[in-house]
């Protein structure tokens, strides 16, 4: 990317976030609520993209991390903990779980991460569904109500909307920073030729683990933000199906691209909200769209956007 | 003189590998060692053991007195073994400069340091010097995939030397490149040895290249070292003639 194009991209990103922050001035409560849900879904998908897109590994645990974050937020908010602390704790708890989980998963098998996270997601699902514990969770937890930033969060409160957009901006900044650092180069090396990356000193499992853990942190943060957006939190709905939905979102948007999760999550939110589809109906549309993407344009929606902005190729010199 | 690399009784006889059967040798600081042998002698198996891509069944490998056997390739690389394999493995979409920075960045600092530090990890200067030394500076911004094969070979070898490794292992550096490029490469390698006292091992099927460049030669045949000595002595050794003619 040339310096000029990079500056243009940064300017466009800043403008987009400014517009999102100012959205309460021109968007109604329903619209704000929708944009908040899109922001939170995007944060979770950005986290998954670190593993699926940037490290070329499959994780089926991202929905479980979102579920854990949502559950922790519901429990701690009910006890009156400040919400900023709750968000940070949700992220850190998921990070602390992901480090040993990712380490153990990668020890023996090439597809260890995919299989291990599948098992982990199933386990979290059972726990959050109230089996065997806690006994009163099976019907879900009453939504988070509170003053201050949480005021009217599940019905399109402007303060909470701004918080979601702000966290989304920070998550984007974090990933942008990673990609611009030597990590970005090492990750490209391990995607394109892991054997050569190793002989050049790139410890592949350590990079994969770091990206998985940072992704889990973002999943937990997204979960904590998701809980107040719902009138009723049933974290068991936020585990396995959500893992699959987030995978579809990343594949559809364009794995390995910073912009991919934004586009994929946008389509997912459109499917369930504006088209008036149920979650299952929305997932079906996403699944079909993801299949079509893999068949026609593996780089996802990002590739369509790039094609639109790029001038037609110059004539080949004879 | 002190041994930088010591290999003792190294064995690899698993199915699927040309066997290596009890190989022992050492490399002194600033030495240019050639390991030659006909096809099927076990040269590539030995290379893969030394860089950590395959695990030997028995024997020992020490770098500066510390055992490196059983370590990951990335750990062996960070401890100071640079390498270039028989098929050049440059990153086609990265520029020549980026390939060189990549080759040096993991030898500097910690992982967290690399996340928060400068995007070149502080190795841009070193990479630039290697780039100029191997005469790749005209193509510094070119994606490596657009280079001619001979230039990719030179870049791959150059990547082995970024970040001041203790030893560089070169597997068949002349395969697929013409005589003029081979002479250039030998001249660059000799210069690095004279200026920086770079120590390296050239593992070669190409007898003439190794005999002209290296100061000491080991001859590998059927997984064992059958001769050792100065290039001229090795050239006339009946064991060597037998090993090459017998195949």
């Amino acid at each position: 990317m040339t310096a000029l194009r990079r500056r243009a991209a940064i300017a466009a990103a800043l403008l987009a976030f400014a517009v999102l922050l100012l959205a309460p001035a021109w968007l109604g409560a329903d619209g704000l609520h929708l944009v908040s849900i899109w922001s939170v879904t995007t944060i979770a998908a950005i986290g998954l993209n670190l593993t699926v897109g940037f490290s070329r590994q499959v994780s089926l645990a991202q929905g479980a991390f979102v579920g854990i974050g949502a559950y922790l937020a519901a429990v701690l908010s009910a006890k009156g903990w400040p919400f900023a602390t709750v968000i940070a704790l949700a992220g850190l708890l998921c990070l602390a779980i992901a480090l040993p989980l990712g380490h153990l998963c990668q020890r023996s098998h090439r597809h260890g991460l995919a299989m291990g996270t599948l098992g982990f997601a199933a386990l979290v699902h059972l726990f959050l569904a109230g089996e065997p514990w806690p006994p009163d969770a099976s019907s879900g937890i009453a939504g988070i109500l509170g003053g201050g930033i949480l005021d009217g969060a599940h019905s399109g409160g402007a303060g909470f909307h701004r918080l979601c957009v702000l966290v989304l901006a920070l998550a984007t900044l974090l990933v942008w920073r990673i990609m611009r650092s030597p990590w970005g180069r090492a990750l490209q090396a391990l995607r394109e030729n892991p054997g050569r990356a190793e002989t050049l000193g790139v410890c592949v499992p350590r990079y994969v683990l770091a990206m998985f853990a940072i992704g889990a942190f973002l999943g937990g943060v997204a979960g904590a933000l998701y809980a107040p957006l719902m009138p009723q939190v049933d974290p068991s709905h936020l585990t396995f199906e959500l893992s699959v939905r987030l995978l579809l979102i990343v594949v559809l948007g364009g794995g390995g691209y910073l912009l991919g999760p934004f586009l994929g999550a946008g389509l997912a939110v459109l499917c369930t909200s504006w088209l008036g589809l149920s979650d299952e109906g929305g997932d079906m549309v996403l699944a079909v769209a993801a299949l079509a993407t893999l068949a026609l344009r593996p780089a996802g929606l990002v590739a369509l956007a790039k094609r639109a902005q790029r001038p037609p190729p110059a004539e080949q010199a004879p | 003189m002190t041994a930088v690399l010591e290999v003792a009784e190294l064995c690899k006889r698993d199915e699927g590998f040309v066997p290596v059967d009890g190989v022992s040798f050492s490399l002194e600081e600033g030495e240019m060692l050639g390991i030659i042998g006909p096809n099927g002698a076990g040269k590539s198996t030995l290379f893969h053991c030394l860089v950590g891509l395959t695990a030997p069944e028995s024997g020992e490998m020490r770098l500066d007195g510390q055992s490196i056997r059983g370590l990951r390739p990335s750990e062996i690389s960070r401890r100071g073994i640079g390498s270039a394999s028989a098929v050049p493995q440059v990153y086609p979409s990265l520029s020549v400069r980026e390939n060189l920075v990549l080759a040096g960045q993991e030898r500097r600092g910690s992982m967290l340091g690399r996340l928060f530090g400068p995007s070149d990890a502080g190795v841009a200067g070193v990479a630039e010097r290697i780039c100029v030394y191997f005469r790749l500076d005209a193509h510094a911004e070119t994606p490596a995939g657009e280079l001619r094969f001979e230039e990719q070979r030179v870049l791959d070898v150059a990547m082995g030397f970024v970040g001041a490794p203790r030893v560089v292992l070169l597997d068949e550096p002349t395969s697929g490149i013409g005589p003029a490029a081979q002479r250039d490469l030998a001249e660059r390698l000799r210069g690095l040895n004279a200026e920086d006292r770079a120590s390296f091992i050239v593992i070669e099927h190409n007898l003439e290249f190794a005999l002209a460049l290296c100061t000491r030669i080991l001859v590998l045949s059927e997984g064992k070292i059958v001769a050792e000595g100065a290039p001229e002595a090795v050239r006339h050794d009946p064991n060597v003639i037998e090993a090459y003619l017998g195949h």
Side-chain angles (χ1 to χ4, degrees):
Chain A
M1 199 187 278
T2 63
L4 191 68
R5 281 187 59 183
R6 185 177 301 136
R7 257 178 241 146
I10 293 171
L14 288 177
L15 187 68
F17 279 115
V19 168
L20 284 173
L21 278 177
L22 294 173
W26 45 271
L27 212 56
D30 286 353
L32 277 186
H33 188 242
L34 206 60
V35 175
S36 300
I37 289 189
W38 168 78
S39 303
V40 171
T41 311
T42 305
I43 295 167
I46 285 174
L48 183 59
N49 195 23
L50 295 180
T51 294
V52 174
F54 291 114
S55 320
R56 291 278 159 82
Q57 294 276 331
V58 172
S59 161
L60 287 159
Q62 190 68 352
F65 290 126
V66 175
I68 290 171
Y71 184 81
L72 190 75
V75 171
L76 294 185
S77 298
K79 293 186 193 296
W81 289 53
F83 199 66
T85 313
V86 170
I87 295 177
L89 280 179
L92 290 175
L93 175 64
C94 291
L95 180 88
I97 294 171
L99 283 172
L101 177 68
H103 179 70
L104 290 174
C105 288
Q106 288 191 80
R107 282 180 66 145
S108 55
H109 197 276
R110 255 187 84 207
H111 303 298
L113 199 63
M115 298 198 301
T117 52
L118 176 66
F120 173 73
L123 212 61
V124 172
H125 179 81
L126 287 176
F127 266 94
L128 292 184
E131 288 178 42
W133 178 91
D136 58 344
S138 56
S139 56
I141 304 164
I144 297 175
L145 296 172
I149 193 82
L150 295 174
D151 193 29
H154 65 265
S155 54
F160 196 75
H161 162 83
R162 287 202 191 92
L163 178 66
C164 293
V165 171
L166 193 69
V167 175
L168 175 61
L170 289 175
T172 309
L173 191 67
L174 174 70
V175 176
W176 183 76
R177 172 68 219 170
I178 291 173
M179 291 310 117
R180 295 265 295 147
S181 77
W183 283 31
R185 200 179 291 115
L187 288 164
Q188 186 172 351
L190 74 82
R191 285 196 300 274
E192 292 181 6
N193 185 346
R196 182 55 167 153
E198 276 279 345
T199 60
L200 292 175
V202 177
C203 185
V204 173
R206 201 181 292 172
Y207 273 98
V208 170
L209 179 62
M211 296 300 266
F212 178 65
I214 296 170
F217 175 85
L218 292 177
V221 166
L225 288 171
Y226 191 75
L229 287 169
M230 294 291 123
Q232 174 89 1
V233 184
D234 184 352
S236 67
H237 280 174
L238 291 179
T239 55
F240 201 70
E241 295 160 40
L242 186 62
S243 286
V244 175
R245 190 177 309 146
L246 288 169
L247 260 183
L248 291 176
I249 284 171
V250 171
V251 169
L252 192 57
Y257 292 96
L258 193 55
L259 194 60
F262 290 80
L263 301 178
L267 195 75
V269 170
L270 284 184
C271 281
T272 46
S273 304
W274 284 2
L275 295 183
L277 295 173
S278 62
D279 275 3
E280 290 77 12
D283 282 353
M284 267 182 73
V285 174
L286 281 187
V288 171
L291 281 176
T293 302
L294 287 175
L296 301 173
R297 199 152 285 279
L301 292 175
V302 167
L304 289 179
K306 285 201 165 201
R307 198 179 146 93
Q309 69 169 246
R310 184 174 297 165
E315 291 283 323
Q316 289 281 321
Chain B
M1 294 226 284
T2 49
V4 181
L5 183 69
E6 294 165 276
V7 175
E9 292 298 323
L10 202 70
C11 287
K12 177 75 182 175
R13 302 191 202 88
D14 273 353
E15 220 173 298
F17 289 91
V18 176
V20 164
D21 199 355
V23 167
S24 302
F25 65 91
S26 67
L27 178 80
E28 307 293 328
E29 178 113 48
E31 196 178 12
M32 295 183 279
L33 177 69
I35 300 180
I36 61 171
N39 286 331
K43 300 190 300 292
S44 282
T45 307
L46 179 61
F47 173 81
H48 282 104
C49 286
L50 291 174
V51 299
L53 286 170
T54 186
E57 286 130 33
S58 61
E60 191 48 274
M61 324 186 297
R62 279 187 221 95
L63 183 68
D64 289 317
Q66 303 249 307
S67 174
I68 53 168
R69 188 185 154 202
L71 298 180
R72 292 191 68 83
S74 52
E75 183 60 28
I76 289 178
S77 166
R78 282 200 301 272
R79 291 204 183 182
I81 294 192
S83 64
S85 64
V87 178
Q89 297 191 55
V90 299
Y91 285 95
S93 59
L94 292 179
S95 71
V96 167
R97 189 192 306 280
E98 288 278 301
N99 268 287
L100 291 167
V101 171
L102 170 68
Q105 70 175 35
E106 300 295 322
R107 294 208 170 99
R108 289 282 179 92
S110 66
M111 241 181 109
L112 272 184
R114 284 191 285 280
L115 180 58
F116 296 111
S119 74
D120 65 12
V123 297
V126 180
E128 179 65 26
R129 195 178 145 249
I130 295 270
C131 189
V132 171
Y133 184 78
F134 279 92
R135 297 173 183 157
L136 292 162
D137 45 322
H139 308 295
E141 304 305 331
T142 310
E146 291 175 18
L147 297 180
R148 287 183 292 120
F149 181 82
E150 291 180 351
E151 293 163 339
Q152 290 192 15
R153 166 71 72 193
V154 172
L155 173 58
D156 197 41
V157 169
M159 285 163 75
F161 285 93
V162 187
R166 299 285 293 143
V167 186
V168 179
L169 307 177
L170 304 172
D171 190 14
E172 309 271 0
T174 64
S175 77
I177 64 174
Q182 290 184 16
R183 275 195 301 277
D184 277 353
L185 185 60
E187 183 209 329
R188 297 290 92 192
L189 292 173
R190 212 175 277 125
L192 272 180
N193 178 260
E195 286 172 30
D196 297 352
R197 273 174 64 76
S199 318
F200 53 84
I201 300 177
V202 175
I203 298 172
E204 260 298 348
H205 174 68
N206 181 335
L207 201 67
E208 291 310 320
F209 180 82
L211 293 182
L213 173 64
C214 298
T215 45
R216 186 163 63 106
I217 300 286
L218 300 177
V219 185
L220 200 64
S221 177
E222 294 178 351
K224 293 180 164 60
I225 291 176
V226 295
E228 179 186 352
E232 277 317 300
V234 163
R235 190 188 290 276
H236 303 293
D237 191 310
N239 282 332
V240 180
I241 297 164
E242 159 73 22
Y244 268 82
L245 290 182
H247 283 264

